[in-house]
Amino acid sequence: MDRRSFVKKNIAASALLGLGVNGIYASELGNLKHKLPTKNFKLNYAPHLGMFEAHAGSDPVNQLNFMADNGFSAFEDNEMRSRSASVQEKMAVTMSNRNMTMGVFVAHDIYWTKPNLTGGDIALRDEFLKQIEQSVEVAKRVNAKWMTVVPGYVDKRKNMQYQTVNVIESLKRASEILEPHGIIMVLEPLNFRDHPGQFLSESPQCYQICKAVNSPSCKMLFDIYHQQIQEGNLIPNIEASWDEIAYFQVGDNPGRNEPTTGEINYKNVFKFIHSKGFNGVVGMEHGNSIDGKEGELAVIEAYKKSDNF
């Protein structure tokens, strides 16, 4: 499941976001608590809207409450920027009341098939910087510290080193916007299989760019799913990149579903991240391997199992 699939699913769900809290979740909550006892995890795992919709219904407030009731202390939403201010505010109040940390949202329009920041086009850079400014307001509204940035498609007419300079210069400008607000853009390398042609693909490349930008507002999003496909050697690469990593996302491979469904030993990876003292957010940017309530329970159990170290 790639990011565009997540976007399509979230856009469909957002059509119902204006609804107030209905009685469905509240009426079933007592029974659900018996079936799904609250558990505090060692790491701050962050589900997304739709992941527990079979239990909680379509209302985002109900979904957030369901996540909190089952021990999840964070939440992420790629599509938060496109939601209305009133919906953002409702979600922010709920997260505050439930002591949930807001994770990433996508900060700008991602160019999947043409150069964005890589080509050095000033108009595209200005568009990107304007969207970063707009995302600062969203971040303030929902109490977000992190936002995802993807530099875009490669420019096949330019040497990679020139493209790297173009990206670094754009990110320096964006950092100047973000630093006064204490907000961090996290750069996400994407794998070659799901996102062919994207400029940013490997953790060493991302690490080098973060070092060159040299700003507390420009760090790395280490998506374990993407990097398992792209480069493997997960724990050593996390160790080597550690001082520039500000955020993690997960998904097992193959399938991009919950931990325990693929080849990644998430218990060992989570144990390592925890041993390093990481207290940020681990985004659950994956699908459910099984549909319906059964699949949602399986996701919760998978995180209990993988977090048990």
Side-chain angles (χ1 to χ4, degrees):
M1 181 181 296
D2 63 23
R3 187 184 298 279
R4 282 167 286 184
S5 298
F6 279 107
V7 168
K8 289 178 181 178
K9 183 172 182 179
N10 287 337
I11 288 174
S14 69
L16 297 172
L17 285 176
L19 296 174
V21 177
N22 58 44
I24 297 175
Y25 176 73
S27 66
E28 295 184 356
L29 182 57
N31 292 331
L32 290 175
K33 281 185 176 178
H34 291 297
K35 295 176 183 177
L36 305 169
T38 299
K39 175 179 172 61
N40 293 320
F41 297 101
K42 295 183 180 74
L43 293 172
N44 298 314
Y45 304 113
H48 55 81
L49 291 183
M51 182 165 273
F52 300 118
E53 190 169 337
H55 276 100
S58 60
D59 189 288
V61 170
N62 288 348
Q63 292 187 48
L64 287 167
N65 279 318
F66 183 87
M67 295 169 194
D69 287 336
N70 287 282
F72 294 104
S73 56
F75 167 75
E76 66 177 23
D77 182 13
N78 284 339
E79 292 303 298
M80 184 64 85
R81 185 168 67 102
S82 67
R83 307 199 190 284
S84 70
S86 62
V87 169
Q88 292 170 2
E89 289 164 0
K90 285 181 184 179
M91 295 173 74
V93 168
T94 304
M95 286 185 280
S96 177
N97 289 341
R98 301 307 305 267
N99 294 315
M100 298 181 77
T101 300
M102 177 64 203
V104 291
F105 63 94
V106 176
H108 64 106
D109 295 341
I110 298 174
Y111 284 73
W112 296 110
T113 58
K114 67 177 184 177
N116 182 8
L117 303 183
T118 58
D121 185 299
I122 299 303
L124 289 175
R125 177 183 293 179
D126 289 345
E127 175 191 88
F128 167 73
L129 294 174
K130 184 172 182 59
Q131 290 173 353
I132 293 295
E133 290 176 347
Q134 294 167 344
S135 288
V136 167
E137 299 308 309
V138 175
K140 289 179 178 180
R141 198 174 293 124
V142 298
N143 300 313
K145 181 179 179 180
W146 307 274
M147 56 177 69
T148 303
V149 166
V150 176
Y153 204 69
V154 296
D155 188 334
K156 296 179 181 180
R157 296 179 180 273
K158 286 187 172 63
N159 182 280
M160 280 293 287
Q161 303 309 315
Y162 293 126
Q163 294 182 67
T164 299
V165 171
N166 290 335
V167 169
I168 289 169
E169 289 304 308
S170 294
L171 296 176
K172 284 182 176 179
R173 295 275 300 278
S175 294
E176 292 172 359
I177 296 169
L178 296 171
E179 284 177 11
H181 306 283
I183 297 171
I184 303 169
M185 59 180 167
V186 285
L187 312 181
E188 183 178 12
L190 303 172
N191 78 75
F192 69 93
R193 185 184 69 193
D194 295 344
H195 301 287
Q198 287 295 304
F199 167 80
L200 190 58
S201 61
E202 297 182 348
S203 58
Q205 176 196 18
C206 190
Y207 185 78
Q208 180 185 34
I209 289 171
C210 289
K211 287 298 184 187
V213 176
N214 191 29
S215 168
S217 286
C218 181
K219 296 294 180 181
M220 183 190 306
L221 190 171
F222 196 105
D223 188 311
I224 295 166
Y225 166 77
H226 285 304
Q227 295 320 118
Q228 170 69 358
I229 296 168
Q230 184 69 33
E231 61 194 18
N233 202 32
L234 291 171
I235 289 176
N237 278 320
I238 292 171
E239 174 70 56
S241 305
W242 186 259
D243 61 317
E244 294 294 339
I245 296 174
Y247 200 98
F248 286 95
Q249 286 181 326
V250 304
D252 218 333
N253 180 62
R256 202 174 188 179
N257 291 313
E258 69 270 16
T260 74
T261 59
E263 66 185 358
I264 303 174
N265 188 336
Y266 266 109
K267 181 179 286 190
N268 280 354
V269 176
F270 288 160
K271 181 179 180 180
F272 177 76
I273 293 170
H274 184 263
S275 75
K276 297 286 286 183
F278 185 74
N279 60 4
V281 172
V282 179
M284 298 160 58
E285 196 186 33
H286 58 75
N288 298 359
S289 63
I290 304 170
D291 291 335
K293 291 186 176 182
E294 180 185 358
E296 295 176 0
L297 296 177
V299 169
I300 295 169
E301 290 304 315
Y303 277 89
K304 288 180 181 179
K305 181 177 179 180
S306 300
D307 189 75
N308 184 23
F309 47 80

